[in-house]
Amino acid sequence: MNIREFLPTQPVILGFDPGKDKCGLAVMGLDRQLHYHQVVLSSEAIASLEKLRQNYPISLMVMGDQTTSKRWKQQITEQVKEPLNIILVDERYTSLEARDRYWQMYPPKGLSKLLPQGMRQPPRPIDDIVAILLIERYLNRLTESSMRSD
């Protein structure tokens, strides 16, 4: 776990893409600055979450709302030491979006550059990028609702 030096002056949001075998974790500031992202085994997810909470001033957790979310939400609520506010976010199409984002973050090299983007498969799981997208969807929802109330 590579945790960068962080100034604990601003709250951050933890993105969590729950899964049966692996989970994506991401930590992003309200300024959309990405501080951390990683894919972890599901069996290590809660321990990783606790470690991140020791290193970042996490104000809330944004989690995908699909298949395993209810079970994960209950498990996190029961097992984390300090209560954590959990908000469910629409997770539809995030896997497709995450694949495109992967290639933006890590542009292809060599011969894979010649393949059309839709045919390229990321060389590693991208659950952490899904977690990033979940945070962004939450922040976009906040921005949209504050613009409507003005």
Side-chain angles (χ1 to χ4, degrees):
M1 200 182 280
N2 56 346
I3 296 172
R4 294 188 353 211
E5 193 59 40
F6 185 74
L7 299 171
T9 53
Q10 63 168 340
V12 294
I13 298 172
L14 173 67
F16 184 67
D17 178 36
K20 195 166 64 84
D21 302 316
K22 59 190 175 358
C23 298
L25 295 166
V27 175
M28 183 183 288
L30 298 176
D31 59 359
R32 296 180 187 253
Q33 175 79 39
L34 182 63
H35 298 287
Y36 170 91
H37 62 102
Q38 187 171 353
V39 177
V40 298
L41 294 173
S42 295
S43 59
E44 298 169 6
I46 291 181
S48 298
L49 195 149
E50 292 280 23
K51 180 112 172 97
L52 287 170
R53 287 183 81 189
Q54 290 170 11
N55 291 286
Y56 295 100
I58 293 170
S59 58
L60 69 109
M61 178 164 136
V62 175
M63 178 170 36
D65 65 355
Q66 296 296 300
T67 6
T68 59
S69 63
K70 283 184 179 65
R71 186 175 55 83
W72 271 107
K73 187 175 181 180
Q74 182 181 352
Q75 197 175 336
I76 289 166
T77 305
E78 290 169 0
Q79 293 181 23
V80 295
K81 292 178 185 98
E82 291 176 44
L84 181 62
N85 191 10
I86 301 172
I87 295 175
L88 297 180
V89 175
D90 184 3
E91 172 178 0
R92 283 177 296 186
Y93 311 114
T94 50
S95 295
L96 287 171
E97 235 180 282
R99 211 165 76 180
D100 290 342
R101 178 67 66 87
Y102 176 87
W103 294 116
Q104 288 171 9
M105 292 170 73
Y106 308 100
K109 294 174 175 49
L111 292 175
S112 62
K113 274 200 284 195
L114 304 175
L115 280 175
Q117 185 164 312
M119 292 180 71
R120 284 186 223 131
Q121 285 297 324
R124 65 166 184 83
I126 53 173
D127 307 69
D128 56 332
I129 297 174
V130 170
I132 293 167
L133 294 172
L134 293 172
I135 297 171
E136 289 175 353
R137 283 186 178 189
Y138 172 75
L139 290 173
N140 290 343
R141 210 169 66 191
L142 285 183
T143 309
E144 288 163 11
S145 63
S146 73
M147 289 176 142
R148 271 189 248 123
S149 63
D150 287 347

